[in-house]
């Protein structure tokens, strides 16, 4: 899709949008990039014996899921929350991520962050950047229940209940295939975001209504809608 067509179709989608569900790790900030995911996975490995197929995973959430399947995720969950909080103190913003939250607040379009990361880490990050008051709510990972992470529809339904807005009038902006899958499950319009072409193709394949390569495009469109200047 060319840049102009992308802006036009985003404006069309936003014309019917009254609430925004926003994934956190990706569209707002890359919480666990720069090797932080691998470092955290290493820390979690100290709390649980992993089978060989997962012995070298860099994905902390995969370790949490394994612990849950073994019967108890609390020790891994506690270590994961602690590591995510540290990451929230150093992670840098995604270009356009903060602008998106500010633009939605100025447009009085409520935002609920829906994340597979811990609520505490999302709230700590938002507070560090003075954004906490600008979001309507945060739905984070249910404690020691990784089975309820997206693409399970539970967190999206919680967010929709917070908003009190019909799913058809909401978009979800996310950078994972699971974000697209759960949007389709819950009748929310899926908008993909990724700077990587390979991921963008996966998001389209997973049903994204459109895929952005820059969150500033989304923030700009929200501002244009608010000022009636599309
Ligand atoms: Mg994400």
């Amino acid at each position: 899709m060319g840049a102009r067509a992308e802006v036009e179709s985003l404006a069309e989608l936003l014309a019917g949008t009254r609430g925004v569900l926003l994934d956190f790790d990706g569209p707002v900030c890359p919480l666990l990039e720069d090797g932080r995911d691998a470092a955290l996975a290493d820390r979690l490995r100290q709390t649980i014996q992993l089978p060989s197929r997962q012995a070298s995973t860099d994905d902390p959430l995969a370790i949490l899921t394994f612990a849950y399947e073994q019967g108890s995720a609390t020790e891994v969950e506690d270590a994961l929350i602690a590591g995510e909080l540290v990451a929230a103190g150093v992670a840098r913003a995604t270009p356009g991520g903060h602008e998106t939250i500010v633009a939605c607040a100025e447009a009085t379009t409520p935002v609920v962050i829906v994340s597979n990361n811990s609520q505490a880490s999302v709230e700590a990050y938002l507070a560090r950047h003075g954004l906490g008051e600008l979001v309507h709510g945060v739905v984070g990972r249910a404690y020691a229940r990784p089975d309820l992470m997206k693409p399970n529809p539970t967190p999206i339904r919680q967010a929709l209940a917070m908003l009190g807005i019909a799913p058809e009038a909401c978009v979800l902006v996310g950078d994972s295939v699971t974000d697209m899958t759960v949007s389709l499950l819950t009748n929310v319009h899926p908008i993909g975001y990724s700077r990587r072409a390979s991921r963008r193709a996966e998001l389209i394949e997973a049903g994204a209504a459109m895929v952005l390569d820059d969150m500033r495009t989304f923030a700009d469109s929200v501002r244009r809608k608010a000022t009636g200047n599309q």
Side-chain angles (χ1 to χ4, degrees), residues 31 36 41 58 60 68 73 78 85 100 128-129 131-133 183 189 191 209 226 228 230:
L31 184 67
R36 287 191 293 273
D58 283 347
Y68 174 77
D78 290 341
L85 275 171
T100 290
R128 179 160 78 93
H129 295 283
L131 298 168
E133 300 298 315
S183 297
H189 299 281
I191 297 180
Q230 304 214 355

Side-chain angles (χ1 to χ4, degrees), residues 7 10-11 13-15 17 19-20 22 96 99-111 171 173 191 212 215-230:
V7 166
L10 183 53
L13 195 51
L14 288 179
T17 296
V20 171
L22 190 57
E99 280 174 71
T100 290
I101 292 172
V102 171
C104 288
E106 287 175 357
T108 63
T109 301
V111 172
V171 297
V173 186
I191 297 180
L212 308 174
M215 284 302 293
R216 288 172 289 204
T217 306
F218 189 82
D220 286 345
S221 290
V222 171
R223 275 194 290 260
R224 275 199 208 94
K225 180 189 169 184
T227 57
N229 176 24
Q230 304 214 355

Side-chain angles (χ1 to χ4, degrees), residues 23 25-27 175-176 179:
D23 176 34
D25 190 357
D175 69 341
S176 294
D179 291 313

